[in-house]
Amino acid sequence: MILNYFKIAFRNLSNNKVYSFINIGGLAVGMSVAMLIGLWVYDELSYNTYHKNYDSIAQVKNKSTDPNTGITRSGDALQFPLGTALKNNYKHYFKHVLRAFWFGNYTLTSDNDKFPKTGEFIEGDVIEMLSLKMLKGSSASLQDPHSIILSKSTADAIFGDQDPLNKNLKIDNRMDVVVRGVYEDLPRNNRFSEIQFFSPWSLWVSSNEWVKQCENEWNNSSFNVYVQLQPNVSFEEANAGLKDFYEKNPPKEIVKEWSKYKPAIILHPMKKWHLYSEFKNGEIVGGLITFVWLFGIVGVFVLLLACINFMNLSTARSEKRAKEVGVRKAIGSVRGQLVQQFLSESFLVVVFAFIIALGLVTVALPWFNNLGNKDMSMPFGNPVFWAISIVFIVFTSCLAGLYPAFYLSSFQPVKVLKGTFKLGRFASLPRKVLVVVQFTVSVVLIVGTIVVYQQINHARNRPVGYNREGLIKVSLNDPNYQGKQDVIKTMLLNTGMVENMALASSPLTEIWSNSGGYNWKGKDPELASDFAVVNVTHDFGKLIDWKIKEGRDFSRNYATDSSAIIINETAAKYLGLKNPVGEFITNTDEGVSKSWQIIGVVKDLVMQSPYEPVKRSFYFLDPKYVDVSQMIIKIKPNASANEALPKIEAVFKQIVPSALFDYKFVNEEYGKKFSQEERIGKLATFFTLLAIFISCLGLFGLASFVAEQRTKEIGIRKVLGASIANLWQMLSKDFVVLVIISCVVAAPIAYYFMSQWLEKYTYHTEISWWIFALTGAGALLITLLTVSYQAIKAALMNPIKSLKTE
């Protein structure tokens, strides 16, 4: 019996090739989208699960409240002695406490070969805590203070087929290390995937004098701390025990000074690092999990659109199958058997669609990986995948086939066989509702995609306060640069390719240092005194073309500028000084009082997130190049980068041959700040286009059916004098009305969800009325183009052919 059902189902598909193509093609595309989104969602949800201790690892964060505004901010830059205190005083909570310095770009030198690599200096228990799979070496490989462990791909790149163990390397030409281990490359969906080597924390401390000075310094926050909980300790228990950390551990004078900020530390679990990374008022408020839910819902809706096509075309062709149902019932078929017959048809369609979808996903996956910055593959060898696939096929078959099956099996045989069966005036109502649902989803996706790109462009067009054109950044990590900066500058200018050169303590697209304890005239004792700090050389402002609002720039004509300071607009407002130029900023460091005179106020420079407010910032002059490690070079406007870069590189190789010339364009570095939003925008565009395609495919099928159903009516109207335009209008009108209703329904839904999304950005665009107008016009145009082919084709048909059948 079941085999017979499938035979009949196959014949029906063969006899109606156009409708079969629309149903199978639409479902295949819908299932492909659902599969791709499913793979993407799984990849996001499995972030960091590579580590066996995933459930017990956390990063320590601090939070403090601005007494002036009441706003609580959190961050992961911590004090050196904080890690020491956690190790010594909270052993009952933590199995491991690891201090670390931020991921950084370093140069590894083997013999005379140089390799730019990303690494982290961290305490030796990292191998055990992160459960790194050591291909060579052991969990004790980082106990030697001059050791290094490399990822497999890094070891291969440096040593090729040689055994890397016990080979000598130099880090930045100043730290001698020996390779003690090689670990398996971490998957891309991992927080540490970008790290290509680990080296001991003790090596970093011993190689940097400023780090040594921070050992007991609670006013410097420059380090990271990771912890692993003891086996029977929960995050809630540990957080409760750390609630009064800043009241018990720093010196009493620090505790007293910080009390107004209500400082605290919190544990951010590894399982929340990726998807729950956004904090507001010191509490986790979300993050990428929003997009995981969003795209998951999109996947379900796109599949639903394809199922709606199947429902609509199946019920629309019900008159053609009414006699079949009547005959079957007359010879003894019960309704349950008919339901099984029609479900077998939907099952066969879904199976064909699933096979095609597997092929489409396999072909599209490399492109999709590139689009989503992923490294996913089809898990054909995983039994769980096939079990989920079977459930997926059955679910889709039921979703697409249940309504048509029960609808078609409900026909009365007497009426059908007597020829009195009519569908009635409301028979098409469910189909119209489903079309409205289809286009509502499509319109919401279109509006959402436009808003995402509008937000990206809004942030891109935000005035950044300086000119990025022609700027490149070179990190001066090699100690051999010291004392040669002026020589490099002179030789760069002599190339004829460089307009100017300056140095800074941070790149133009980041702020690496924050400092507190500043005072000024009229300062409220309760006011926070932390500021972003950037040390610069004389030509920095001229080089980047920053805008002086008040006062002047640093100048070699004033010897006193070594004790001068330039502040940004945000800092000027925060200080509350009516005329800040000429006023003094003071600070006391280790009992030594320092004072700087404000000589200028510059327009805010956007150096961090383009979506967030600019930090209040101080710019100090560093004429002796003590605290500046970033060289910024401006290429002349009339010189091309391809022409200039080889000459610039030649200068660096001549002056410091031991260093790797590793440069980055400031424009490109700034552009990376939009990468996440751009990736979301591209994914949304891709899914939106497929949703529109599926909706149009169904609309095309319905238009074809309506034209076929009204063939005789069209013939009569043509005989009575109706024009092609009249007939086109008649056949298109109903679909246009449905799309207009969809736009009306979709507008408030899209506005609500996109407003919620935009609220997470302090600096964001507004949702304008023209977005909805443009989307509505586009939806109507797409509808008319889809329907018009069938409408005009029917209108051009010879009325004699359509009427002579009677």
Side-chain angles (χ1 to χ4, degrees), residues 29-96:
V29 173
M31 294 175 89
S32 299
V33 172
M35 283 186 206
L36 286 172
I37 290 178
L39 288 171
W40 184 83
V41 168
Y42 175 76
D43 190 79
E44 290 291 315
L45 293 176
S46 58
Y47 223 88
N48 291 324
T49 53
Y50 174 90
H51 306 292
K52 292 178 183 176
N53 304 315
Y54 166 78
D55 290 325
S56 61
I57 296 173
Q59 182 172 11
V60 181
K61 287 181 171 284
N62 63 8
K63 64 177 183 178
S64 59
T65 302
D66 188 327
N68 190 47
T69 63
I71 296 174
T72 300
R73 291 186 173 86
S74 58
D76 42 25
L78 303 171
Q79 304 88 356
F80 191 124
L82 182 145
T84 308
L86 289 177
K87 277 175 175 285
N88 297 335
N89 304 333
Y90 296 87
K91 293 178 182 178
H92 51 296
Y93 290 132
F94 304 121
K95 181 179 180 180
H96 294 300

Side-chain angles (χ1 to χ4, degrees), residues 717-788:
R717 287 180 179 273
K718 285 195 76 172
V719 169
L720 294 175
S723 66
I724 292 175
N726 294 142
L727 295 172
W728 171 76
Q729 181 183 0
M730 177 191 75
L731 291 171
S732 304
K733 182 179 65 177
D734 286 347
F735 293 107
V736 169
V737 169
L738 293 178
V739 172
I740 290 173
I741 294 172
S742 298
C743 291
V744 172
V745 173
I749 297 173
Y751 183 84
Y752 172 77
F753 283 108
M754 296 317 296
S755 295
Q756 294 291 309
W757 178 69
L758 287 174
E759 277 186 8
K760 77 173 190 171
Y761 299 106
T762 305
Y763 186 82
H764 61 76
T765 186
E766 299 297 327
I767 303 177
S768 306
W769 64 269
W770 64 262
I771 295 176
F772 299 99
L774 180 65
T775 304
L780 286 173
L781 180 62
I782 291 169
T783 302
L784 288 173
L785 290 174
T786 305
V787 172
S788 291

Side-chain angles (χ1 to χ4, degrees), residues 43 55 76 83 89 134 165 222 254 344 523 638:
D43 190 79
D55 290 325
D76 42 25
N89 304 333
M134 300 301 293
L165 282 186
S222 302
I254 295 288
S344 67
K523 177 181 178 286
N638 59 351

Side-chain angles (χ1 to χ4, degrees), residues 360-600:
L360 290 175
V361 171
T362 303
V363 171
L365 199 53
W367 174 83
F368 188 74
N369 276 332
N370 185 54
L371 181 70
N373 193 31
K374 293 291 182 185
D375 189 21
M376 302 179 295
S377 58
M378 289 295 288
F380 289 123
N382 190 340
V384 176
F385 169 74
W386 293 109
I388 292 173
S389 297
I390 292 170
V391 173
F392 182 50
I393 290 170
V394 173
F395 170 76
T396 307
S397 301
C398 294
L399 185 64
L402 276 176
Y403 171 64
F406 282 99
Y407 177 77
L408 293 172
S409 64
S410 66
F411 295 160
Q412 297 297 319
V414 177
K415 290 183 179 180
V416 171
L417 298 178
K418 285 175 69 176
T420 60
F421 171 76
K422 296 292 179 186
L423 289 175
R425 58 184 296 194
F426 296 111
S428 64
L429 183 60
R431 289 196 295 278
K432 290 180 179 178
V433 171
L434 291 175
V435 169
V436 169
V437 170
Q438 273 190 317
F439 272 86
T440 297
V441 172
S442 298
V443 169
V444 169
L445 289 175
I446 294 170
V447 171
T449 303
I450 292 174
V451 172
V452 168
Y453 277 109
Q454 192 184 23
Q455 170 65 2
I456 293 170
N457 290 331
H458 182 71
R460 276 191 186 280
N461 296 330
R462 179 183 183 181
V464 295
Y466 62 95
N467 184 6
R468 300 189 303 272
E469 293 302 319
L471 297 182
I472 63 171
K473 177 208 72 143
V474 181
S475 295
L476 308 183
N477 295 328
D478 194 306
N480 293 317
Y481 279 115
Q482 195 59 39
K484 299 175 182 176
Q485 294 93 333
D486 287 332
V487 178
I488 292 174
K489 179 176 182 178
T490 301
M491 292 190 67
L492 286 174
L493 295 176
N494 289 340
T495 63
M497 296 287 138
V498 173
E499 187 172 294
N500 208 341
M501 183 274 274
L503 294 106
S505 58
S506 300
L508 270 173
T509 53
E510 297 177 62
I511 291 177
W512 284 356
S513 180
N514 294 278
S515 185
Y518 294 100
N519 289 290
W520 57 91
K521 186 176 74 174
K523 177 181 178 286
D524 184 338
E526 295 299 312
L527 199 63
S529 59
D530 57 308
F531 292 80
V533 172
V534 183
N535 296 306
V536 301
T537 54
H538 283 98
D539 294 324
F540 179 80
K542 182 181 176 183
L543 177 85
I544 68 172
D545 192 25
W546 66 6
K547 310 299 179 188
I548 303 286
K549 287 196 69 182
E550 298 179 45
R552 62 175 178 84
D553 203 343
F554 293 119
S555 172
R556 291 182 176 86
N557 297 327
Y558 297 90
T560 54
D561 276 6
S562 59
S563 297
I565 184 175
I566 292 176
I567 64 177
N568 67 354
E569 289 177 288
T570 300
K573 291 175 185 173
Y574 190 78
L575 297 177
L577 300 172
K578 190 173 182 181
N579 296 300
V581 174
E583 298 292 344
F584 287 86
I585 302 292
T586 61
N587 200 341
T588 301
D589 185 15
E590 296 181 353
V592 179
S593 182
K594 297 180 181 179
S595 177
W596 301 268
Q597 186 176 33
I598 300 172
I599 62 168

Side-chain angles (χ1 to χ4, degrees), residues 2-214:
I2 293 175
L3 184 61
N4 184 53
Y5 287 156
F6 283 113
K7 281 183 180 179
I8 296 169
F10 188 78
R11 284 177 195 157
N12 277 319
L13 294 177
S14 302
N15 293 335
N16 299 278
K17 292 182 176 61
V18 174
Y19 295 109
S20 298
F21 171 78
I22 292 173
N23 278 332
I24 294 173
L27 278 172
V29 173
M31 294 175 89
S32 299
V33 172
M35 283 186 206
L36 286 172
I37 290 178
L39 288 171
W40 184 83
V41 168
Y42 175 76
D43 190 79
E44 290 291 315
L45 293 176
S46 58
Y47 223 88
N48 291 324
T49 53
Y50 174 90
H51 306 292
K52 292 178 183 176
N53 304 315
Y54 166 78
D55 290 325
S56 61
I57 296 173
Q59 182 172 11
V60 181
K61 287 181 171 284
N62 63 8
K63 64 177 183 178
S64 59
T65 302
D66 188 327
N68 190 47
T69 63
I71 296 174
T72 300
R73 291 186 173 86
S74 58
D76 42 25
L78 303 171
Q79 304 88 356
F80 191 124
L82 182 145
T84 308
L86 289 177
K87 277 175 175 285
N88 297 335
N89 304 333
Y90 296 87
K91 293 178 182 178
H92 51 296
Y93 290 132
F94 304 121
K95 181 179 180 180
H96 294 300
V97 177
L98 308 186
R99 287 166 294 194
F101 194 68
W102 311 77
F103 300 1
N105 297 316
Y106 303 92
T107 300
L108 297 184
T109 304
S110 173
D111 297 327
N112 292 320
D113 297 322
K114 300 175 182 64
F115 303 88
K117 298 297 175 184
T118 302
E120 183 169 39
F121 291 87
I122 191 167
E123 293 188 269
D125 291 334
V126 63
I127 297 174
E128 182 184 343
M129 190 174 93
L130 295 184
S131 55
L132 298 177
K133 294 178 182 176
M134 300 301 293
L135 305 177
K136 294 179 183 293
S138 68
S139 59
S141 292
L142 283 179
Q143 298 307 317
D144 176 358
H146 289 276
S147 59
I148 187 173
I149 61 171
L150 307 174
S151 67
K152 174 70 166 57
S153 57
T154 301
D156 291 344
I158 296 175
F159 299 106
D161 296 331
Q162 299 178 47
D163 185 354
L165 282 186
N166 301 316
K167 291 285 196 302
N168 295 317
L169 290 173
K170 268 183 177 288
I171 303 176
D172 283 346
N173 271 332
R174 63 192 182 93
M175 290 176 271
D176 292 301
V177 291
V178 179
V179 179
R180 296 300 188 193
V182 176
Y183 62 91
E184 179 183 82
D185 284 356
L186 297 172
R188 185 176 287 189
N189 63 340
N190 189 282
R191 166 74 171 276
F192 301 95
S193 62
E194 293 181 3
I195 294 182
Q196 295 159 304
F197 73 85
F198 290 99
S199 211
W201 164 255
S202 57
L203 175 63
W204 180 253
V205 175
S206 63
S207 303
N208 292 275
E209 192 60 36
W210 72 270
V211 181
K212 292 180 192 174
Q213 294 171 0
C214 292

